[in-house]
Amino acid sequence: MDAETVETHYAKHHATYTANLNKAAEEAGVADQTIEDILANLDDVVDEAQRTALKNNGGGFYNHNLFFEEITPGGAKEPTGELKAAIDEAFGSFEELKKQMTALAIGQFGSGWAWLSKDAAGKLYVSKSANQDNPISLGTGQTPIFTIDVWEHAYYLKYKNLRASFVENLWNLVNWDVVAKNYKG
Ligand code: MN3
């Protein structure tokens, strides 16, 4: 991943979502809640414009936190320990997880995300979502532990229209110690 993409994505896009989330949370009276609680309880926000602002900017904040943390340099280059066991149980192998999640990421029509998530029992699932939606705001009962951003701003400066090349390369950047920490979370 090139420096200009990361700089624009983190310091501009992510910063804007964060600022707009803070504003929306103040307006909706939920600024004292965790981001997970805000996204899980969007239905409690009666005002539709406030609810939409929280969903989109709260999702943008949460999703990008996960994304940028998981590509922290260093760490294990592939899943180990309990996480590896859970991946093998759910998908058969790490290669099969990569295959399924890559297909979801490439197949997401328009802007969105691909997800690896866990349920309360630690079982793993893959999914995709549009816009800044995520498994929490969609009410799936799952908690994301790894994600792939397939908005064009995540790859267009370097990869142009080649989303598949970006997704294939992203697997090389993942710090699996961070994902393992998210899994234990
Ligand atoms: Mn993004």
Side-chain angles (χ1 to χ4, degrees):
M1 196 177 291
D2 61 300
E4 190 184 10
T5 295
V6 176
E7 174 69 17
T8 308
H9 198 179
Y10 187 83
K12 301 288 197 301
H13 289 282
H14 187 26
T16 300
Y17 286 120
T18 304
N20 288 339
L21 165 63
N22 286 335
K23 184 165 167 281
E26 287 292 342
E27 285 170 7
V30 296
D32 60 330
Q33 296 182 24
T34 65
I35 187 59
E36 289 86 353
D37 283 344
I38 290 172
L39 292 173
N41 298 293
L42 290 167
D43 287 348
D44 294 349
V45 179
V46 178
D47 183 277
E48 190 183 345
Q50 288 181 352
R51 189 168 62 246
T52 300
L54 285 172
K55 183 174 75 153
N56 291 339
N57 295 295
F61 172 76
Y62 177 94
N63 300 349
H64 286 102
N65 279 351
L66 189 68
F67 180 75
F68 285 112
E69 279 170 20
E70 78 198 15
I71 55 172
T72 303
K77 299 310 289 179
E78 55 185 71
T80 57
E82 280 178 50
L83 175 60
K84 180 186 187 312
I87 288 170
D88 289 347
E89 189 181 324
F91 307 102
S93 66
F94 179 43
E95 283 309 310
E96 181 60 25
L97 162 65
K98 282 165 81 168
K99 197 172 129 191
Q100 289 187 23
M101 202 167 157
T102 296
L104 289 168
I106 295 171
Q108 168 58 35
F109 185 78
S111 296
W113 300 76
W115 301 98
L116 176 64
S117 308
K118 63 172 183 175
D119 68 12
K123 187 174 185 326
L124 293 173
Y125 304 83
V126 287
S127 62
K128 63 182 168 71
S129 67
N131 304 314
Q132 296 295 358
D133 294 351
N134 64 41
I136 301 175
S137 63
L138 292 169
T140 62
Q142 298 166 14
T143 304
I145 65 167
F146 170 68
T147 190
I148 303 175
D149 186 345
V150 292
W151 282 59
E152 283 187 345
H153 68 228
Y155 59 87
Y156 209 85
L157 290 175
K158 178 172 177 180
Y159 292 93
K160 301 295 185 277
N161 58 315
L162 302 177
R163 181 190 286 186
S165 300
F166 161 73
V167 173
E168 290 294 340
N169 182 59
L170 185 78
W171 291 103
N172 300 321
L173 306 179
V174 180
N175 181 329
W176 286 97
D177 289 347
V178 173
V179 184
K181 180 176 66 80
N182 294 340
Y183 179 66
K184 283 194 174 186

